[in-house]
Amino acid sequence: MSAPWLVVGKGAIGLLAASRWLLSNQSLWLWQKTPQPLSYRFSAGGRDFAMQLQNAVQGPFSKVLVPVKAYDVVHVVQTLLPHLADKAQLVLCHNGMGTLEPVAALLKPGQGLWFASTSHGAYKPHALHVIHSGLGSTVLAPCNDAARCSETPIAAELTQALSPLTLVDDIQPYLWQKLAVNSVINPLTALHQCQNGELNQAQYQAQIKALLAEFVQVAAACGQQFSEDTLYQLVQQVQSNTAQNFSSMLQDVTAGRRTELGAITGYLLQQAAAHQLSIPTHQALYQALEAKLAPWQL
Ligand code: PAF
């Protein structure tokens, strides 16, 4: 059996990965703020499983999945640093952008950094129940030299947790494409408190097209080329495929949690400002949510 993975936090995607690993006999530990064993129910493909995860007792940890929200990543990695092996491999997995550079700067030269961008759907109707609600896929890429040179079979082992998985050289185009989708669906559904599918209604189309036109300009300034039409079709397709879903941002708003607005629309606004671009439709959407949410939810 291979060395255990450490899964950080109790988020839906982390517990989805942990559950699929446990079901394929991969040994693993859980890392949480309050160290205690976790018993929970995992529902997938019409079946229910009783799962148990043990809290990590001792490092050094050599393989770590960090599926926490973008705004928590840097703090969590700082907390983990003293417990990481010199050649540890860390895999980030979240919506939004802006974490890779600060995390890379924290790691030792031998410690690898990866990003897994997944479209699997999972949610927790309550704290001790995880539902695999949508079969998706995952794109994984090494994001520093230590990951590119690593002999640890990260892709093969992560395939058990988040399959089907494609290993690519450069995660940036995939992160930007996901950012395009998230920067439309997440803030709009959070603002209008609607299911993803409702955004296919005629009344939203002009705003969605304007958001995507601005997105394409910012992405181009950052070296990523996209066509507005292709992105518009992609957004419509995601809205139709996930028509009954409540986006992660709407779920956060409803539950009174902090949202990923900063790592999604906020990241776009920062990049636009850095390149002296004006993106008024995203700006207005950010301000509309700012007016609606508590300051700590931004
Ligand atoms: O964040 C989410 O909810 C999802 O990434 C997406 C694609 C918007 C579907 O709900």
Side-chain angles (χ1 to χ4, degrees):
M1 195 189 285
S2 69
W5 275 82
L6 182 71
V7 176
V8 179
K10 296 184 289 189
I13 291 292
L15 291 185
L16 166 70
S19 308
R20 294 178 83 185
W21 262 328
L22 285 179
L23 292 171
S24 53
N25 289 326
Q26 168 66 48
S27 62
L28 52 100
W29 299 108
L30 184 63
W31 180 273
Q32 31 176 6
K33 280 184 200 130
T34 318
Q36 57 189 21
L38 179 72
S39 300
Y40 64 98
R41 186 171 143 212
F42 173 56
S43 307
R47 294 180 65 191
D48 261 326
F49 304 88
M51 314 298 293
Q52 228 208 6
L53 278 169
Q54 297 304 322
N55 204 77
V57 272
Q58 209 183 343
F61 301 106
S62 56
K63 297 178 290 189
V64 187
L65 178 61
V66 190
V68 303
K69 301 267 192 187
Y71 52 75
D72 271 337
V73 169
V74 170
H75 170 70
V76 161
V77 173
Q78 278 167 336
T79 315
L80 283 168
L81 284 178
H83 309 279
L84 296 180
D86 285 348
K87 292 190 174 180
Q89 304 297 311
L90 257 77
V91 184
L92 307 187
C93 179
H94 58 75
N95 276 340
M97 290 181 69
T99 57
L100 280 169
E101 280 188 17
V103 171
L106 292 172
L107 299 179
K108 291 183 185 167
Q111 293 174 330
L113 180 60
W114 303 72
F115 199 103
S117 176
T118 189
S119 60
H120 278 287
Y123 72 99
K124 293 167 68 177
H126 60 79
L128 299 179
H129 186 195
V130 189
I131 300 180
H132 189 189
S133 52
L135 264 183
S137 58
T138 305
V139 177
L140 174 76
C143 300
N144 69 359
D145 286 343
R148 276 176 219 108
C149 301
S150 169
E151 285 169 13
T152 315
I154 296 297
E157 293 186 8
L158 209 60
T159 298
Q160 295 171 331
L162 294 172
S163 64
L165 180 145
T166 310
L167 180 64
V168 299
D169 291 334
D170 182 10
I171 200 70
Q172 291 299 325
Y174 298 92
L175 292 184
W176 277 94
Q177 181 172 297
K178 189 147 190 247
L179 189 69
V181 172
N182 287 140
S183 69
V184 171
I185 300 180
N186 294 30
L188 283 178
T189 51
L191 186 64
H192 299 292
Q193 312 240 301
C194 64
Q195 289 166 304
N196 295 350
E198 290 177 52
L199 296 181
N200 279 327
Q201 291 170 8
Q203 72 202 78
Y204 296 114
Q205 301 322 300
Q207 191 181 8
I208 292 176
K209 285 184 179 164
L211 289 168
L212 290 173
E214 292 174 7
F215 175 90
V216 166
Q217 282 181 45
V218 180
C222 297
Q224 300 293 326
Q225 308 303 327
F226 289 99
S227 106
E228 283 172 45
D229 286 348
T230 314
L231 287 182
Y232 182 62
Q233 281 166 23
L234 175 66
V235 167
Q236 283 188 312
Q237 193 191 334
V238 174
Q239 285 166 182
S240 302
N241 292 349
T242 63
Q244 308 303 318
N245 291 12
F246 295 100
S247 76
S248 53
M249 195 174 290
L250 177 54
Q251 289 184 48
D252 289 339
V253 170
T254 310
R257 291 187 295 252
R258 184 168 172 185
T259 69
E260 295 177 302
L261 189 66
I264 297 175
T265 310
Y267 181 80
L268 265 187
L269 291 171
Q270 277 165 20
Q271 295 304 315
H275 293 93
Q276 278 104 44
L277 290 170
S278 151
I279 51 170
T281 318
H282 286 279
Q283 182 89 49
L285 191 49
Y286 188 95
Q287 283 165 351
L289 277 164
E290 203 173 27
K292 192 181 161 88
L293 301 179
W296 51 267
Q297 287 185 289
L298 297 169

PDB file of all heavy atoms in Angstrom, residues 204-224:
ATOM      1  N   TYR A 204     -31.215  37.651 -18.880  1.00  0.00           N
ATOM      2  CA  TYR A 204     -29.823  37.692 -18.402  1.00  0.00           C
ATOM      3  C   TYR A 204     -28.790  37.713 -19.534  1.00  0.00           C
ATOM      4  O   TYR A 204     -27.597  37.881 -19.273  1.00  0.00           O
ATOM      5  CB  TYR A 204     -29.531  36.471 -17.520  1.00  0.00           C
ATOM      6  CG  TYR A 204     -30.355  36.429 -16.257  1.00  0.00           C
ATOM      7  CD1 TYR A 204     -31.300  35.426 -16.052  1.00  0.00           C
ATOM      8  CD2 TYR A 204     -30.189  37.401 -15.263  1.00  0.00           C
ATOM      9  CE1 TYR A 204     -32.065  35.388 -14.892  1.00  0.00           C
ATOM     10  CE2 TYR A 204     -30.951  37.369 -14.106  1.00  0.00           C
ATOM     11  CZ  TYR A 204     -31.888  36.362 -13.928  1.00  0.00           C
ATOM     12  OH  TYR A 204     -32.635  36.339 -12.783  1.00  0.00           O
ATOM     13  N   GLN A 205     -29.243  37.493 -20.787  1.00  0.00           N
ATOM     14  CA  GLN A 205     -28.256  37.223 -21.848  1.00  0.00           C
ATOM     15  C   GLN A 205     -27.352  38.410 -22.166  1.00  0.00           C
ATOM     16  O   GLN A 205     -26.154  38.248 -22.388  1.00  0.00           O
ATOM     17  CB  GLN A 205     -28.941  36.689 -23.114  1.00  0.00           C
ATOM     18  CG  GLN A 205     -29.728  35.396 -22.871  1.00  0.00           C
ATOM     19  CD  GLN A 205     -29.042  34.426 -21.898  1.00  0.00           C
ATOM     20  OE1 GLN A 205     -27.920  33.986 -22.156  1.00  0.00           O
ATOM     21  NE2 GLN A 205     -29.682  34.095 -20.782  1.00  0.00           N
ATOM     22  N   ALA A 206     -27.906  39.637 -22.170  1.00  0.00           N
ATOM     23  CA  ALA A 206     -27.063  40.796 -22.505  1.00  0.00           C
ATOM     24  C   ALA A 206     -25.968  40.962 -21.451  1.00  0.00           C
ATOM     25  O   ALA A 206     -24.794  41.205 -21.784  1.00  0.00           O
ATOM     26  CB  ALA A 206     -27.927  42.049 -22.592  1.00  0.00           C
ATOM     27  N   GLN A 207     -26.346  40.787 -20.173  1.00  0.00           N
ATOM     28  CA  GLN A 207     -25.356  40.945 -19.098  1.00  0.00           C
ATOM     29  C   GLN A 207     -24.288  39.845 -19.169  1.00  0.00           C
ATOM     30  O   GLN A 207     -23.090  40.115 -19.001  1.00  0.00           O
ATOM     31  CB  GLN A 207     -26.079  40.900 -17.744  1.00  0.00           C
ATOM     32  CG  GLN A 207     -25.197  41.318 -16.577  1.00  0.00           C
ATOM     33  CD  GLN A 207     -25.931  41.245 -15.248  1.00  0.00           C
ATOM     34  OE1 GLN A 207     -27.057  40.744 -15.177  1.00  0.00           O
ATOM     35  NE2 GLN A 207     -25.291  41.739 -14.201  1.00  0.00           N
ATOM     36  N   ILE A 208     -24.715  38.622 -19.460  1.00  0.00           N
ATOM     37  CA  ILE A 208     -23.747  37.510 -19.546  1.00  0.00           C
ATOM     38  C   ILE A 208     -22.769  37.767 -20.686  1.00  0.00           C
ATOM     39  O   ILE A 208     -21.547  37.596 -20.533  1.00  0.00           O
ATOM     40  CB  ILE A 208     -24.489  36.154 -19.717  1.00  0.00           C
ATOM     41  CG1 ILE A 208     -25.243  35.821 -18.430  1.00  0.00           C
ATOM     42  CG2 ILE A 208     -23.519  35.040 -20.093  1.00  0.00           C
ATOM     43  CD1 ILE A 208     -26.088  34.565 -18.469  1.00  0.00           C
ATOM     44  N   LYS A 209     -23.282  38.245 -21.825  1.00  0.00           N
ATOM     45  CA  LYS A 209     -22.400  38.527 -22.968  1.00  0.00           C
ATOM     46  C   LYS A 209     -21.421  39.650 -22.626  1.00  0.00           C
ATOM     47  O   LYS A 209     -20.241  39.592 -22.981  1.00  0.00           O
ATOM     48  CB  LYS A 209     -23.216  38.871 -24.211  1.00  0.00           C
ATOM     49  CG  LYS A 209     -23.842  37.625 -24.817  1.00  0.00           C
ATOM     50  CD  LYS A 209     -24.587  37.920 -26.097  1.00  0.00           C
ATOM     51  CE  LYS A 209     -25.169  36.622 -26.643  1.00  0.00           C
ATOM     52  NZ  LYS A 209     -26.183  36.811 -27.647  1.00  0.00           N
ATOM     53  N   ALA A 210     -21.899  40.655 -21.910  1.00  0.00           N
ATOM     54  CA  ALA A 210     -21.004  41.772 -21.525  1.00  0.00           C
ATOM     55  C   ALA A 210     -19.932  41.281 -20.548  1.00  0.00           C
ATOM     56  O   ALA A 210     -18.754  41.645 -20.662  1.00  0.00           O
ATOM     57  CB  ALA A 210     -21.829  42.898 -20.895  1.00  0.00           C
ATOM     58  N   LEU A 211     -20.327  40.433 -19.595  1.00  0.00           N
ATOM     59  CA  LEU A 211     -19.347  39.891 -18.634  1.00  0.00           C
ATOM     60  C   LEU A 211     -18.265  39.101 -19.378  1.00  0.00           C
ATOM     61  O   LEU A 211     -17.072  39.220 -19.084  1.00  0.00           O
ATOM     62  CB  LEU A 211     -20.044  38.974 -17.613  1.00  0.00           C
ATOM     63  CG  LEU A 211     -20.945  39.643 -16.569  1.00  0.00           C
ATOM     64  CD1 LEU A 211     -21.784  38.605 -15.823  1.00  0.00           C
ATOM     65  CD2 LEU A 211     -20.111  40.460 -15.574  1.00  0.00           C
ATOM     66  N   LEU A 212     -18.693  38.316 -20.368  1.00  0.00           N
ATOM     67  CA  LEU A 212     -17.722  37.480 -21.088  1.00  0.00           C
ATOM     68  C   LEU A 212     -16.826  38.318 -21.998  1.00  0.00           C
ATOM     69  O   LEU A 212     -15.628  38.031 -22.132  1.00  0.00           O
ATOM     70  CB  LEU A 212     -18.444  36.376 -21.873  1.00  0.00           C
ATOM     71  CG  LEU A 212     -19.075  35.298 -20.966  1.00  0.00           C
ATOM     72  CD1 LEU A 212     -19.922  34.343 -21.781  1.00  0.00           C
ATOM     73  CD2 LEU A 212     -17.997  34.539 -20.183  1.00  0.00           C
ATOM     74  N   ALA A 213     -17.391  39.375 -22.594  1.00  0.00           N
ATOM     75  CA  ALA A 213     -16.565  40.242 -23.451  1.00  0.00           C
ATOM     76  C   ALA A 213     -15.463  40.887 -22.608  1.00  0.00           C
ATOM     77  O   ALA A 213     -14.295  40.952 -23.018  1.00  0.00           O
ATOM     78  CB  ALA A 213     -17.437  41.308 -24.113  1.00  0.00           C
ATOM     79  N   GLU A 214     -15.812  41.330 -21.410  1.00  0.00           N
ATOM     80  CA  GLU A 214     -14.801  41.927 -20.521  1.00  0.00           C
ATOM     81  C   GLU A 214     -13.798  40.882 -20.059  1.00  0.00           C
ATOM     82  O   GLU A 214     -12.592  41.144 -19.972  1.00  0.00           O
ATOM     83  CB  GLU A 214     -15.490  42.563 -19.301  1.00  0.00           C
ATOM     84  CG  GLU A 214     -16.331  43.783 -19.653  1.00  0.00           C
ATOM     85  CD  GLU A 214     -17.123  44.327 -18.471  1.00  0.00           C
ATOM     86  OE1 GLU A 214     -16.931  43.851 -17.327  1.00  0.00           O
ATOM     87  OE2 GLU A 214     -17.937  45.229 -18.681  1.00  0.00           O
ATOM     88  N   PHE A 215     -14.299  39.693 -19.761  1.00  0.00           N
ATOM     89  CA  PHE A 215     -13.411  38.606 -19.330  1.00  0.00           C
ATOM     90  C   PHE A 215     -12.351  38.333 -20.399  1.00  0.00           C
ATOM     91  O   PHE A 215     -11.158  38.179 -20.087  1.00  0.00           O
ATOM     92  CB  PHE A 215     -14.221  37.320 -19.054  1.00  0.00           C
ATOM     93  CG  PHE A 215     -13.348  36.147 -18.723  1.00  0.00           C
ATOM     94  CD1 PHE A 215     -12.993  35.868 -17.413  1.00  0.00           C
ATOM     95  CD2 PHE A 215     -12.833  35.335 -19.739  1.00  0.00           C
ATOM     96  CE1 PHE A 215     -12.139  34.811 -17.119  1.00  0.00           C
ATOM     97  CE2 PHE A 215     -11.983  34.282 -19.447  1.00  0.00           C
ATOM     98  CZ  PHE A 215     -11.643  34.005 -18.138  1.00  0.00           C
ATOM     99  N   VAL A 216     -12.790  38.261 -21.665  1.00  0.00           N
ATOM    100  CA  VAL A 216     -11.872  37.940 -22.773  1.00  0.00           C
ATOM    101  C   VAL A 216     -10.736  38.970 -22.850  1.00  0.00           C
ATOM    102  O   VAL A 216      -9.580  38.619 -23.080  1.00  0.00           O
ATOM    103  CB  VAL A 216     -12.664  37.833 -24.103  1.00  0.00           C
ATOM    104  CG1 VAL A 216     -11.737  37.847 -25.313  1.00  0.00           C
ATOM    105  CG2 VAL A 216     -13.507  36.564 -24.097  1.00  0.00           C
ATOM    106  N   GLN A 217     -11.077  40.249 -22.611  1.00  0.00           N
ATOM    107  CA  GLN A 217     -10.037  41.301 -22.640  1.00  0.00           C
ATOM    108  C   GLN A 217      -9.009  41.116 -21.524  1.00  0.00           C
ATOM    109  O   GLN A 217      -7.808  41.243 -21.743  1.00  0.00           O
ATOM    110  CB  GLN A 217     -10.679  42.665 -22.387  1.00  0.00           C
ATOM    111  CG  GLN A 217     -11.385  43.281 -23.554  1.00  0.00           C
ATOM    112  CD  GLN A 217     -11.923  44.651 -23.101  1.00  0.00           C
ATOM    113  OE1 GLN A 217     -11.235  45.425 -22.451  1.00  0.00           O
ATOM    114  NE2 GLN A 217     -13.171  44.909 -23.424  1.00  0.00           N
ATOM    115  N   VAL A 218      -9.498  40.820 -20.316  1.00  0.00           N
ATOM    116  CA  VAL A 218      -8.576  40.658 -19.180  1.00  0.00           C
ATOM    117  C   VAL A 218      -7.710  39.425 -19.399  1.00  0.00           C
ATOM    118  O   VAL A 218      -6.488  39.456 -19.197  1.00  0.00           O
ATOM    119  CB  VAL A 218      -9.350  40.543 -17.836  1.00  0.00           C
ATOM    120  CG1 VAL A 218      -8.381  40.374 -16.678  1.00  0.00           C
ATOM    121  CG2 VAL A 218     -10.219  41.756 -17.614  1.00  0.00           C
ATOM    122  N   ALA A 219      -8.342  38.331 -19.827  1.00  0.00           N
ATOM    123  CA  ALA A 219      -7.584  37.098 -20.055  1.00  0.00           C
ATOM    124  C   ALA A 219      -6.493  37.343 -21.099  1.00  0.00           C
ATOM    125  O   ALA A 219      -5.340  36.912 -20.921  1.00  0.00           O
ATOM    126  CB  ALA A 219      -8.529  35.981 -20.488  1.00  0.00           C
ATOM    127  N   ALA A 220      -6.836  38.055 -22.176  1.00  0.00           N
ATOM    128  CA  ALA A 220      -5.850  38.320 -23.241  1.00  0.00           C
ATOM    129  C   ALA A 220      -4.675  39.116 -22.683  1.00  0.00           C
ATOM    130  O   ALA A 220      -3.511  38.835 -22.983  1.00  0.00           O
ATOM    131  CB  ALA A 220      -6.509  39.068 -24.394  1.00  0.00           C
ATOM    132  N   ALA A 221      -4.980  40.102 -21.826  1.00  0.00           N
ATOM    133  CA  ALA A 221      -3.901  40.911 -21.233  1.00  0.00           C
ATOM    134  C   ALA A 221      -3.001  40.033 -20.361  1.00  0.00           C
ATOM    135  O   ALA A 221      -1.834  40.343 -20.158  1.00  0.00           O
ATOM    136  CB  ALA A 221      -4.500  42.047 -20.409  1.00  0.00           C
ATOM    137  N   CYS A 222      -3.547  38.933 -19.849  1.00  0.00           N
ATOM    138  CA  CYS A 222      -2.770  38.013 -19.004  1.00  0.00           C
ATOM    139  C   CYS A 222      -2.221  36.845 -19.818  1.00  0.00           C
ATOM    140  O   CYS A 222      -1.762  35.838 -19.244  1.00  0.00           O
ATOM    141  CB  CYS A 222      -3.643  37.496 -17.865  1.00  0.00           C
ATOM    142  SG  CYS A 222      -4.189  38.788 -16.746  1.00  0.00           S
ATOM    143  N   GLY A 223      -2.299  36.932 -21.140  1.00  0.00           N
ATOM    144  CA  GLY A 223      -1.670  35.916 -21.996  1.00  0.00           C
ATOM    145  C   GLY A 223      -2.547  34.723 -22.319  1.00  0.00           C
ATOM    146  O   GLY A 223      -2.061  33.702 -22.805  1.00  0.00           O
ATOM    147  N   GLN A 224      -3.869  34.830 -22.050  1.00  0.00           N
ATOM    148  CA  GLN A 224      -4.776  33.702 -22.320  1.00  0.00           C
ATOM    149  C   GLN A 224      -5.805  34.128 -23.365  1.00  0.00           C
ATOM    150  O   GLN A 224      -6.541  35.090 -23.147  1.00  0.00           O
ATOM    151  CB  GLN A 224      -5.502  33.286 -21.032  1.00  0.00           C
ATOM    152  CG  GLN A 224      -4.589  32.839 -19.921  1.00  0.00           C
ATOM    153  CD  GLN A 224      -3.877  31.536 -20.238  1.00  0.00           C
ATOM    154  OE1 GLN A 224      -4.421  30.658 -20.908  1.00  0.00           O
ATOM    155  NE2 GLN A 224      -2.638  31.419 -19.784  1.00  0.00           N
TER     156      GLN A 224
END
